[in-house]
Amino acid sequence: MTAAAGRPAVAKPFDLARIRAEFPILAEPVRGGRLAYLDNGATTQKPEAVLRAMDFYYRHQNANVHRATHDLAERATLAYEGARDRIARYLGAAREEIVFTRGTTEAINLVAYSYLLPRLRQGDEILLTGMEHHSNIVPWQLIAAQAGAKVVAAPLNDAGELDVAAWRALINARTRLAAVVHVSNTLGTLNPVGTLIGHAHAHGIPVLVDGAQAIAHLAVDVKALDVDFYACSAHKAYGPTGFGTLYAKREHLEAMRPWHGGGDMIRTVSFEGSTWNDVPYKFEAGTPDMAGAIGFAAALDYIEAQGLPAIAAHEHALLEEGTARLAEVPGLRLIGTAAQKGGILSFVMDCAHPQDIGTVLDQAGVAVRTGHHCTMPLMQRFGIPATVRASLGMYNGSDDLRQLAQALHKVRSLFR
Ligand code: PMP
C-alpha cells in the first residue's frame, strides 16, 4: 500500500478542498456545527490513505513478523520492513538507523537510558533549552539523578527564540549531550538546529533533536543536519498514534547497549548469557506495531504526494493570516513571536483564563488546546500559567481562522 522504496513521490497540485475531502473526520459535526480543527500540535487527523493502508494490513497481510515461514508472515514482514525503508527515505537515513518506537517520548528515553546513562558521570551536564517539551526534559532529569549529573537549560528571549550565544556559553568540558526541540510545540519557534549541531560537534558533543512538531511541516534531512539522534511521532504527521521513530547514527546504535529485553532483539539466548541481534533490531524487543509502521509510511507517502514545499507555503500563509486576525482581538497577547516560526499560535487574553476561552471556542466548534502544553518551564519563563494554542495542519484554511477569530470576539464580549 505504500510507495515502493526508492520511488520518488510525485506531488499533486495543492488543492485544499480535495485534501479536506480525504480526511473523513473533518466532516464530523461538533456541538451541532462545523468543526474547525486547530489542535494539530496535539495530534493530526488521518487521511483515507492511512486508514486504508492499516485496514488493508489487517485484512490481507496480518501475521507476526520476522519469524515464521508462511505466506502471510512473509507479506507482513515485507510490508513492515518496506515501511522502514519508506521512513528512512523520508528522513534521509539508512534503514539500519531507523529504530521503531512508540513515539518521540520513547525515542528520547531510549537515547537517555541506552546511550547516555552508561556514559554519564558525577558532575556531567546535559544541555537543554528553555522551550523543551517535558518528554525532552524529564528523561534527562531521571538519568542525571542516577548518575549525579545535572540538566542545564539555555535561556530564551521575549520573542521565544533561543539565545544562541547563551546556549554556546553553557557548553563546557562537562557537557555530555545537547538536546533541542526542532519546532517548539508551544511557541512555534523554529530552532537553528544545523548551527547548534555545528557548535556542539566542534566540542565533540552529540545532539538529539526532538522533531515531533517538525516532520509534517518541513523537510528534514538527518544526514545534511549531521544530527546524532532525531526523534519523531507518526501521529503528529497524519499517521497513527503510539508509533514513532528514533533515527540514530549507526555508530551510536552499534555502541549502545540494549534497553528493553525480549524476543527479536537477541541472536542467541542461554542461561549463561545472551547475544544481541543486529541494529536496529537490537532495540526492538517483542512483537512490534506492524500496522503502526505501515500507517506511518502511508502518512509520509501522503505528505510527499501533496509536496512539503506546498504544505509549508500554505501553512506559512495561514500563520500570517492568523497572526493578523489575532492582532485585531483587543486584549489578546501572542506568546511566541519568533522570526522563524511554524504554524503555532499561542496566546493569552486579559479578560479570561485560557480554560474559559477554550470552553467558549469549543462551543463554537473550534478545537484548540489550553494549558501548559507539557512545557511548564516555558510557562514560568513567560510568567503565565497556561496559553490557548491554535496549531495548523495542511487541511486548515481561512475559514478555520475566521471561525477562531469570531469565537475570540465572542469571548471578549462575554468576559469584558
Ligand atoms: N516533543 C514535542 C515538541 C511534542 O510536541 C510532543 C507531543 N506533544 C512530544 C515531544 C511527545 O510526543 P509523543 O507524545 O508522541 O511521544
Side-chain angles (χ1 to χ4, degrees):
M1 294 294 285
T2 65
R7 193 176 71 204
V10 179
K12 303 174 186 171
F14 194 86
D15 175 350
L16 186 57
R18 173 187 53 76
I19 288 172
R20 278 191 180 168
E22 287 168 349
F23 287 81
I25 206 170
L26 296 179
E28 192 69 17
V30 291
R31 307 278 176 219
R34 178 187 184 273
L35 166 67
Y37 188 77
L38 292 166
D39 197 16
N40 295 287
T43 198
T44 53
Q45 301 301 348
K46 322 303 172 199
E48 289 278 8
V50 168
L51 303 177
R52 267 200 314 272
M54 296 177 77
D55 183 73
F56 184 88
Y57 169 75
Y58 281 120
R59 286 177 194 278
H60 301 289
Q61 299 168 312
N62 180 52
N64 211 331
V65 286
H66 296 152
R67 290 177 279 267
T69 48
H70 58 84
D71 185 19
L72 282 184
E74 198 176 317
R75 287 188 215 173
T77 304
L78 276 175
Y80 177 69
E81 290 303 330
R84 195 186 308 272
D85 289 327
R86 182 67 187 89
I87 295 159
R89 180 154 59 83
Y90 190 84
L91 295 174
R95 69 186 323 280
E96 295 77 18
E97 297 170 316
I98 297 296
V99 180
F100 287 153
T101 67
R102 287 191 296 124
T104 305
T105 305
E106 192 179 63
I108 296 172
N109 275 276
L110 170 57
V111 177
Y113 284 93
S114 179
Y115 175 80
L116 197 58
L117 182 57
R119 292 164 175 75
L120 210 54
R121 301 283 170 267
Q122 178 117 25
D124 283 350
E125 295 181 4
I126 304 163
L127 178 55
L128 308 180
T129 81
M131 68 178 95
E132 298 310 315
H133 188 279
H134 296 166
S135 64
N136 203 20
I137 301 173
V138 182
W140 308 120
Q141 287 177 330
L142 287 169
I143 63 162
Q146 272 190 50
K150 71 175 182 187
V151 161
V152 179
L156 314 179
N157 65 20
D158 290 341
E161 292 163 321
L162 177 65
D163 181 338
V164 175
W167 182 89
R168 285 185 73 169
L170 286 169
I171 291 180
N172 63 59
R174 308 310 311 254
T175 311
R176 289 288 160 266
L177 180 129
V180 58
V181 70
H182 200 165
V183 175
S184 158
N185 62 307
T186 302
L187 304 168
T189 307
L190 171 61
N191 278 312
V193 291
T195 308
L196 302 181
I197 291 164
H199 291 321
H201 284 179
H203 294 83
I205 297 164
V207 179
L208 176 140
V209 173
D210 167 356
Q213 298 291 340
I215 61 160
H217 309 282
L218 52 97
V220 174
D221 183 333
V222 291
K223 291 289 178 228
L225 283 175
D226 196 27
V227 65
D228 297 274
F229 304 100
Y230 196 92
C232 57
S233 299
H235 72 101
K236 297 193 197 273
Y238 310 104
T241 50
F243 195 83
T245 289
L246 172 71
Y247 158 79
K249 284 184 178 171
R250 186 172 182 145
E251 72 215 56
H252 293 321
L253 288 179
E254 297 285 2
M256 280 159 64
R257 67 182 188 192
W259 183 33
H260 292 158
D264 229 24
M265 52 75 70
I266 50 82
R267 183 179 309 285
T268 62
V269 176
S270 73
F271 284 112
E272 286 67 51
S274 303
T275 59
W276 315 132
N277 203 342
D278 295 333
V279 300
Y281 306 107
K282 184 169 89 173
F283 302 104
E284 295 179 0
T287 300
D289 181 359
M290 289 80 85
I294 289 161
F296 191 15
L300 300 180
D301 282 347
Y302 187 81
I303 291 172
E304 279 194 354
Q306 317 317 316
L308 263 175
I311 293 171
H314 173 69
E315 291 178 357
H316 186 73
L318 285 182
L319 176 66
E320 295 208 321
E321 182 187 335
T323 306
R325 282 187 185 279
L326 294 191
E328 287 166 6
V329 180
L332 183 149
R333 179 162 68 101
L334 266 187
I335 306 293
T337 51
Q340 299 293 318
K341 241 190 108 166
I344 305 256
L345 291 157
S346 254
F347 58 87
V348 290
M349 290 174 80
D350 59 6
C351 62
H353 188 275
Q355 207 63 44
D356 298 324
I357 301 170
T359 305
V360 176
L361 295 188
D362 172 50
Q363 291 302 320
V366 181
V368 294
R369 185 127 307 225
T370 61
H372 53 64
H373 317 296
C374 298
T375 53
M376 282 178 143
L378 187 54
M379 296 295 109
Q380 283 155 19
R381 161 66 181 80
F382 282 92
I384 48 178
T387 75
V388 182
R389 181 188 70 185
S391 49
L392 302 169
M394 68 164 97
Y395 37 62
N396 289 122
S398 295
D399 45 2
D400 296 320
L401 296 175
R402 253 193 322 273
Q403 201 169 325
L404 168 68
Q406 270 166 11
L408 289 174
H409 286 289
K410 179 157 185 213
V411 169
R412 185 83 200 144
S413 63
L414 283 174
F415 289 93
R416 199 165 34 187

